């Protein structure tokens, strides 16, 4: 089928279309940000400090940590949160918004537009970052829910056998309800997460009072000394410490939903302090009872509060998982609109919020992957080995793209931009190397997922490019055809015909075959091309441009932002402001449905890429449904093409 969602090169961008968030909605946005943005990083205390303590044993069973170990780990966690989250993301990355939108693909579009010629390497850097996000998206629900349900082992050890089945049941229910939308459920996300952070803070303060010496960990010397005196296990420990900052990328991904100010305020005033209080509270509890290193978060709770905390933790992890799942939907839609992925089925679950969508294929793939992880690893400790590579890789990508934005868009001197980005990039690379040490223990999982998605996106982009080149060679120049038809007109029939094509210069295949078989022409013929802008949202008065060739032919270019859902009838209705009398009931849409076949003389690599591209194209969602064209107004004309 003809790919109508445009060319690889974006059209103009309007800075005035930056997403805005009204100040009078600040409390609502603040509460919403607590529920969505910080769900992932907010559940890290369940397992991050525990895994860091386990890493200090170096694999020696029943070995207890030392007081210096506790202070060193807390110091590393504190400075990781301060540098990676507070400095990098809150201080710099959140400022790199693409007209109010955030995320890897948004940052890639921003950086690519800033460089002369829109170099392809920036596009591929964005592809890697997007693929790594999906690798992270399958692990977050698994490790978060599993770590919360494991609290039952503390409440009643005999419930250990029920941890995995209960986790599987919760995850199945979570993914099954996605089709109903998250609007109503999201209304309670904020209050529950706010209660969760309050519990984190209060439970931490209680134990800090008992062992105030734990506050010495604020001194970075304790962390540095720990690394220097534990060189042999430093990579393993840093990989565990990084678990405390997983979820930091959500601050940028959800920028467009809540705005920069609510996210920054929530982090600095509420989330960051509560996280620190809980981590230091866990450390203080371990200083008074070193055997509690087995599971400090749940053991530090009073006996009467353990079951309620398990229930609250499970709710918090479900919310954190929901945020990642919704993020995967949004990123997949951006990938489709930017021509990085084939069209997938998109369902809108809200009549008022365009960002609330459900993608059945993505949901099914996530569910299967998450369940395989839970059944394969069976514990959050084992699964923690798989966590980190995808997130750190994505953070490296963000740092690289941030440098381009600082240099080209913010107007910083190269030296100043390097002075800021280089230390941050070195820290990201350090954490990436540390997590890569866990590759054999499970780190290969997100790496494999990312490689598979990179292969799909690269194959799709390359296949589309070759398909466009081959089609262009076979097509007649549009201007030549228009001139000939104006001199020798075929039979004219009433109504309007809209021919969809991605090639601006060539005559649409559907038009050529229509003339060949029907030998008639409508009284109005529109050559329609749909493009995707580098801007997340395109203003209505800039969506449609019309160029008239003669009384029979005109060209219409419709431009959508990369976070918008393409709706061709609504966009064409905007053409009425430009003098075009569009009537959907007298309009027929002509599309080319191409049957693709692989060439026999290609090499092995080219052969399997052709097979993969053909399979992706065959399973892509129908263009009629994707572009919201009424099925009764569509005429499809089939052609066969050998790649």
């Amino acid at each position: 089928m003809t790919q109508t969602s445009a060319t690889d090169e974006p059209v103009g961008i309007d800075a005035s279309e930056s997403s805005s968030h009204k100040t009078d909605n600040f409390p609502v946005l603040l509460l919403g940000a607590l529920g969505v943005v910080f769900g992932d990083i907010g559940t890290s205390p369940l397992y991050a400090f525990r895994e860091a303590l386990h890493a200090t044993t170096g694999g020696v069973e029943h070995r207890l940590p030392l007081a210096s170990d506790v202070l060193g780990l807390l110091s590393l966690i504190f400075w990781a949160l301060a540098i990676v989250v507070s400095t990098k993301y809150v201080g710099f990355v959140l400022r790199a918004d693409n007209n109010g939108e955030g995320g890897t693909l948004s940052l890639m579009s921003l950086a690519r537009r800033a460089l002369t010629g829109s170099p392809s390497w920036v596009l591929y850097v964005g592809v890697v970052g997007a693929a790594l996000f999906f690798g992270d998206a399958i692990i977050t629900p698994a490790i978060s829910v599993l770590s919360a349900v494991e609290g039952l082992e503390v409440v009643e050890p005999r419930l250990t056998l029920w941890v995995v089945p209960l986790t599987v049941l919760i995850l199945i229910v979570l993914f099954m309800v996605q089709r109903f939308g998250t609007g109503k459920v999201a209304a309670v996300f904020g209050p529950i997460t706010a209660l969760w952070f309050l519990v984190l803070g209060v439970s931490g303060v209680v134990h800090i009072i008992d062992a105030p010496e734990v506050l010495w960990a604020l001194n970075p010397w304790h962390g540095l000394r720990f690394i220097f005196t534990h060189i042999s296990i430093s990579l393993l420990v840093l990989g565990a410490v990084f678990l405390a900052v997983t979820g930091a990328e959500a601050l940028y991904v959800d920028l467009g939903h809540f705005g920069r100010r609510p996210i920054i305020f929530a982090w600095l005033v509420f989330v960051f302090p509560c996280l620190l209080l809980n981590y230091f509270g866990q450390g203080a509890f371990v200083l008074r009872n070193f055997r509690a290193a087995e599971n400090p978060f749940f053991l530090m709770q009073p006996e009467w509060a353990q079951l309620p905390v398990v229930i609250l933790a499970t709710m918090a992890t479900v919310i954190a998982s929901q945020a990642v799942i919704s993020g995967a939907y949004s990123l997949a839609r951006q990938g489709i609109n930017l021509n990085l992925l084939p069209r997938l089925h998109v369902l809108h679950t809200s009549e008022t919020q365009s960002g609330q969508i459900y993608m059945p294929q993505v949901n099914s793939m996530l569910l299967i992957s998450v369940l395989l992880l839970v059944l394969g690893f069976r514990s959050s400790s084992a699964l923690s080995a798989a966590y980190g590579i995808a997130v750190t890789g994505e953070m490296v990508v963000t740092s690289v793209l941030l440098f381009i934005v600082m240099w080209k868009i913010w107007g910083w001197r190269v030296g100043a931009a390097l002075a800021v980005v280089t230390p941050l990039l070195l820290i990201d690379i350090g954490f990436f190397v540390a997590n890569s040490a866990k590759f054999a223990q499970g780190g290969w999982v997100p790496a494999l997922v990312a490689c598979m998605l990179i292969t799909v996106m690269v194959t799709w982009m390359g296949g589309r490019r070759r398909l466009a080149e081959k089609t262009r060679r076979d097509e007649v120049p549009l201007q030549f055809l228009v001139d000939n038809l104006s001199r020798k007109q075929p039979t004219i029939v009433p109504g309007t015909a809209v021919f969809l094509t991605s090639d601006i210069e060539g005559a649409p295949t559907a038009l050529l075959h229509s003339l060949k078989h029907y030998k008639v022409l409508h009284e109005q013929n529109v050559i329609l091309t749909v493009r995707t802008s580098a801007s997340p949202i395109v203003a209505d008065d800039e969506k449609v441009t019309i160029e008239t060739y003669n009384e029979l032919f005109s060209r219409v270019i419709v431009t959508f932002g990369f976070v918008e859902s393409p709706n061709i009838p609504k966009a064409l209705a905007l053409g009425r402001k430009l003098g075009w009398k569009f009537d959907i009931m007298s309009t027929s849409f002509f599309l080319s449905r191409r049957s693709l076949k692989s060439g026999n003389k290609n090499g092995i690599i080219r052969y399997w890429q052709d097979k993969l591209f053909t399979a992706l194209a065959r399973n892509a969602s129908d263009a009629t449904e994707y572009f919201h064209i009424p099925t009764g107004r569509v005429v499809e004309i089939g052609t066969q093409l050998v790649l």
Side-chain angles (χ1 to χ4, degrees):
M1 184 175 293
T2 302
Q3 173 70 354
T4 60
S5 53
T7 62
D8 291 333
E9 295 299 326
V11 295
I13 188 169
D14 180 11
S16 67
E17 284 301 303
S18 177
S19 296
S20 59
H21 302 273
K22 295 181 180 179
T23 304
D24 55 0
N25 289 332
F26 183 78
V28 176
L29 294 170
L30 182 63
L31 196 60
L34 283 176
V36 176
V37 178
F38 300 105
D40 189 2
I41 198 170
T43 54
S44 296
L46 288 168
Y47 48 82
F49 187 59
R50 180 194 68 195
E51 295 307 315
L53 286 171
H54 292 175
T56 62
T57 64
V60 180
E61 193 174 359
H62 303 306
R63 174 184 165 185
L64 298 178
L66 303 175
S68 59
D69 295 339
V70 173
L71 294 179
L73 293 176
L74 288 176
S75 182
L76 290 173
I77 289 175
F78 168 73
W79 287 104
L81 288 169
I83 295 174
V84 175
V85 185
S86 297
T87 303
K88 177 183 175 180
Y89 279 91
V90 172
F92 294 103
V93 177
L94 287 181
R95 294 176 55 200
D97 66 291
N98 188 346
N99 286 359
E101 293 290 331
T104 302
L105 293 181
S106 180
L107 186 61
M108 177 272 291
S109 298
L110 192 65
R112 193 177 184 212
R113 190 183 77 247
L115 294 174
T116 304
S118 298
S120 297
W121 69 266
V122 179
L123 175 65
Y124 289 109
V125 168
V127 165
V128 171
L132 289 170
F133 177 85
F134 282 104
D136 173 39
I138 67 171
I139 298 179
T140 295
I143 192 173
S144 297
V145 177
L146 196 53
S147 63
V149 179
E150 283 173 347
L152 291 174
E153 299 174 344
V154 176
V155 177
E156 176 51 70
R158 288 176 296 181
L159 295 175
T160 300
L161 294 176
W162 290 94
V163 169
V164 172
L166 187 56
T167 300
V168 169
L169 178 61
I170 292 172
L171 289 170
I172 290 176
V173 172
L174 172 63
F175 281 93
M176 291 295 289
V177 300
Q178 294 300 312
R179 68 184 65 194
F180 302 110
T182 60
K184 295 180 180 179
V185 181
V188 298
F189 279 7
I192 292 176
T193 309
L195 176 61
W196 169 250
F197 281 115
L198 285 175
V199 170
L200 289 181
V202 171
S203 61
V205 168
V206 171
H207 294 286
I208 292 174
I209 293 174
D210 291 337
E213 64 270 21
V214 75
L215 296 177
W216 286 110
L218 293 172
N219 187 340
W221 168 245
H222 289 284
L224 294 174
R225 183 178 62 180
F226 180 89
I227 295 296
F228 292 144
T229 56
H230 296 76
I231 294 295
S232 60
I233 60 171
S234 60
L235 288 180
L236 186 63
V237 170
L238 286 176
V241 166
F242 183 76
L243 294 173
V245 300
T246 54
E249 67 281 2
L251 276 70
Y252 187 50
V253 171
D254 292 308
L255 178 63
H257 295 144
F258 303 101
R260 182 169 177 259
R261 186 166 168 257
I263 293 175
I264 293 177
F265 187 87
W267 170 255
L268 295 178
V269 176
F270 194 63
V271 177
F272 191 28
C274 289
L275 287 176
L276 291 183
L277 288 173
N278 191 263
Y279 282 122
F280 278 74
Q282 290 187 49
F285 183 67
V286 172
L287 286 178
R288 291 292 181 263
N289 183 6
F290 286 107
R291 295 190 180 279
E294 179 183 355
N295 198 335
F297 179 82
F298 288 108
L299 290 173
M300 71 187 286
Q301 311 300 330
E303 186 174 347
W304 61 267
Q306 287 179 348
L307 182 58
V309 169
V310 169
I311 296 173
L312 181 60
T314 303
M315 296 172 68
T317 54
V318 167
I319 291 172
S321 302
Q322 176 63 65
V324 173
I325 295 168
S326 300
Y329 296 158
S330 298
L331 192 65
R333 182 172 67 172
Q334 290 182 22
I336 294 168
N337 290 341
L338 291 170
N339 300 317
L340 304 179
L341 291 170
R343 289 187 300 268
L344 299 175
H345 192 38
V346 179
L347 295 176
H348 290 267
T349 59
S350 172
E351 296 181 357
T352 58
Q353 300 295 325
S354 62
Q356 292 187 19
I357 59 175
Y358 168 66
M359 303 182 70
Q361 295 108 317
V362 175
N363 193 68
S364 298
M365 289 186 288
L366 287 177
L367 174 59
I368 293 172
S369 302
V370 169
L371 292 182
L372 288 175
L373 285 176
V374 172
L375 295 174
F377 288 87
R378 304 190 69 81
S379 75
S380 60
S381 291
L383 195 54
S384 66
Y387 210 13
I389 289 182
V391 184
T392 51
E394 187 181 2
M395 288 183 174
V396 170
V397 168
T398 300
S399 295
V400 172
L401 297 176
L402 179 64
F403 168 75
I404 298 175
V405 171
M406 285 180 168
W407 174 32
K408 289 295 186 178
I409 297 181
W410 296 352
W412 289 27
R413 293 183 178 180
V414 174
L418 286 175
V420 172
V421 172
T422 300
L424 299 176
L425 183 59
L426 289 176
I427 292 174
D428 291 338
I429 293 175
F431 277 128
F432 180 78
V433 172
N435 281 279
S436 297
K438 302 184 294 183
F439 186 85
Q441 288 73 37
W444 58 270
V445 173
L448 176 62
V449 171
C451 287
M452 292 171 62
L453 283 167
I454 290 172
T455 300
V456 167
M457 287 189 277
V458 171
T459 300
W460 181 253
M461 289 189 294
R464 281 192 66 255
R465 186 166 51 250
R466 286 170 36 224
L467 181 61
E469 292 171 353
K470 191 173 186 64
T471 302
R472 194 174 295 116
R473 288 197 300 267
D474 298 336
E475 284 183 345
V476 176
L478 178 60
Q479 188 64 57
F480 174 79
L481 180 65
V482 169
D483 293 341
N484 280 351
L485 290 175
S486 63
R487 289 193 297 267
K488 186 178 180 182
Q489 293 183 359
T491 303
I492 304 297
V493 296
T496 300
V498 177
F499 298 92
L500 276 72
T501 179
S502 59
D503 185 7
I504 295 180
E505 302 298 331
T509 304
L511 172 59
L512 296 175
H513 283 266
S514 177
L515 289 169
K516 177 181 178 182
H517 294 289
Y518 304 139
K519 298 179 175 58
V520 297
L521 201 62
H522 286 72
E523 58 186 359
Q524 269 194 314
N525 298 275
V526 177
I527 313 302
L528 175 64
T529 298
V530 180
R531 283 182 153 182
T532 301
S533 171
S535 173
I537 298 174
V538 176
D540 285 349
D541 57 356
E542 297 181 1
K543 262 190 172 64
V544 180
T545 58
I546 299 176
E547 178 184 355
T548 301
Y549 290 102
N550 53 39
E551 67 277 2
L552 288 175
F553 283 93
S554 60
R555 164 167 297 287
V556 175
I557 298 177
V558 179
T559 306
F560 294 102
F562 63 80
V563 301
E564 296 181 279
S565 294
N567 189 314
I568 286 180
K570 284 187 177 181
L572 293 182
L574 297 173
R576 294 168 181 163
K577 297 179 180 179
L578 302 177
W580 179 28
K581 297 179 180 179
F582 173 71
D583 179 13
I584 188 69
M585 299 309 298
S586 63
T587 301
S588 298
F589 294 85
F590 287 80
L591 286 75
S592 295
R593 179 179 288 275
R594 288 193 172 94
S595 175
L596 304 178
K597 288 191 175 183
S598 302
N600 296 323
K601 297 183 179 181
N602 298 330
I604 295 178
I605 296 179
R606 176 74 171 270
Y607 177 77
W608 71 258
Q609 283 186 321
D610 286 348
K611 287 291 186 182
L612 176 58
F613 177 74
T614 301
L616 292 172
R618 186 180 300 118
N619 289 281
S621 294
D622 185 75
T624 302
E625 184 177 12
Y626 183 75
F627 290 112
H628 300 86
I629 305 173
T631 54
R633 312 306 308 173
V634 174
V635 178
E636 291 188 345
I637 299 177
T639 59
Q640 190 175 92
L641 189 65
V642 179
L643 294 173

